[in-house]
């Protein structure tokens, strides 16, 4: 094989990962798996996909080395093959947001105006937690909270927030977080809290970024 052929073969292998990521359903599955290991049925339910389609998309991700599996009896559980996979996918989304005006427009249409929710960074939240000056609320589904969360965070899934407002202090700042920068659950929760008079703001990203930054995780 010529040098040109060997080089093409190498880049074809790189392109396999790009092909695996070039699908919105697979990107959504990777977002959920960045929160922790999940079964196929659970992934299908969480994402609102058909079970057969979910299984097919997961096989594509597995063939590209992005996810791996384990069996427990007849059940198959998927997880990211490495935490670096989640970081790579998130970096890709951030590059897209910085490069494509369409991404920012779509994000604003989906998430609303995030700047109005006064996002705070991980280092600032870590300082507030150390000083006991904040209540942190994890608004992801309970299974994701159980797999790993910011120490001390309360678990109030976003679809339960309206019914559980009485569990939150009325005079302490609240910071909500969910799956990441492009997750809608925390922005919706913060807006609800503010409408009911709470001093609430948003973590600028989510639990996966907190973990990759080497900050403590409870489970």
């Amino acid at each position: 094989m010529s040098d040109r052929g060997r080089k093409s073969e190498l880049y074809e292998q790189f392109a396999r990962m790009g092909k695996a990521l070039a699908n919105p359903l697979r990107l959504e599955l990777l977002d959920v798996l960045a929160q922790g290991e999940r079964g196929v049925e659970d992934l299908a339910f969480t994402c609102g996909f058909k079970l057969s389609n979910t299984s097919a998309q997961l096989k594509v991700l597995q063939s590209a080395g992005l996810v791996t599996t384990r069996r427990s009896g007849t059940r198959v559980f998927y997880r990211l093959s490495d935490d670096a996979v989640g970081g790579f996918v998130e970096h890709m989304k951030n590059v897209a947001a910085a490069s494509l005006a369409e991404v920012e427009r779509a994000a604003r249409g989906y998430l609303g105006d995030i700047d109005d929710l006064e996002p705070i960074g991980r280092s600032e939240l870590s300082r507030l937690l150390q000083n006991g000056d904040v209540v942190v609320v994890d608004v992801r589904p309970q299974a994701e909270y159980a797999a790993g969360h910011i120490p001390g965070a309360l678990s109030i899934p976003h679809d339960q927030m309206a019914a559980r407002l009485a569990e939150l202090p009325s005079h302490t700042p609240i910071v909500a977080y969910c799956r990441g920068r492009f997750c809608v659950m925390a922005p919706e929760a913060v807006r609800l809290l503010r409408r009911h008079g709470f001093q609430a703001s948003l973590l600028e990203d989510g639990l996966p970024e907190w973990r990759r930054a080497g900050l403590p995780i409870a489970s």
Side-chain angles (χ1 to χ4, degrees):
M1 184 183 294
S2 67
D3 286 348
R4 177 68 260 174
R6 283 189 286 269
K7 184 175 183 179
S8 295
E9 183 177 0
L10 171 62
Y11 277 81
E12 178 63 29
Q13 297 311 309
F14 293 151
R16 288 178 61 193
M17 187 165 292
K19 292 174 183 177
L21 295 175
N23 180 291
L25 303 186
R26 293 196 284 270
L27 288 175
E28 189 171 344
L29 288 169
L30 290 171
D31 268 353
V32 176
L33 288 172
Q35 317 304 312
E37 183 182 75
R38 304 291 279 271
V40 180
E41 297 84 355
D42 191 15
L43 283 166
F45 176 79
T46 298
C47 296
F49 302 160
K50 291 182 179 179
L51 183 60
S52 58
N53 192 20
T54 303
S55 182
Q57 302 302 339
L58 288 167
K59 284 182 170 59
V60 175
L61 293 172
Q62 186 178 17
S63 70
L66 294 167
V67 303
T68 187
T69 64
R70 73 172 178 89
R71 283 190 173 272
S72 179
T74 59
R75 298 191 67 194
V76 178
F77 293 87
Y78 282 82
R79 63 182 182 274
L80 298 185
S81 57
D82 189 276
D83 200 38
V85 171
F88 172 68
V89 173
E90 196 62 28
H91 182 67
M92 181 199 69
K93 290 188 290 186
N94 288 332
V95 170
S99 304
L100 300 172
E102 294 86 350
V103 174
E104 281 298 329
R105 284 198 294 270
R108 183 175 290 271
Y110 179 50
L111 304 172
D113 188 352
I114 297 300
D115 291 339
D116 284 352
L117 304 181
E118 302 173 85
I120 69 170
R122 293 183 298 270
S123 58
E124 175 66 6
L125 180 56
S126 181
R127 183 188 66 78
L128 291 171
L129 280 168
Q130 290 174 3
N131 295 337
D133 295 333
V134 69
V135 171
V136 179
V137 181
D138 185 322
V139 301
R140 299 172 302 154
Q142 177 62 36
E144 296 176 21
Y145 175 87
H149 55 269
I150 294 175
L154 303 177
S155 175
I156 305 182
H158 77 294
D159 57 355
Q160 300 177 21
M161 182 66 71
R164 296 177 60 182
L165 294 174
E167 299 176 29
L168 295 168
S170 57
H171 301 296
T172 304
I174 296 169
V175 174
Y177 72 90
C178 53
R179 291 172 179 160
R181 176 183 173 188
F182 299 103
C183 175
V184 75
M185 292 183 283
E188 288 182 347
V190 170
R191 292 186 183 103
L192 174 66
L193 289 167
R194 289 185 171 192
R195 287 197 299 270
H196 286 82
F198 291 91
Q199 182 184 342
S201 59
L202 185 71
L203 181 62
E204 66 181 3
D205 41 40
L207 194 280
E209 291 83 1
W210 182 274
R211 180 191 292 116
R212 287 194 292 271
L215 293 164
I217 295 289
S219 60

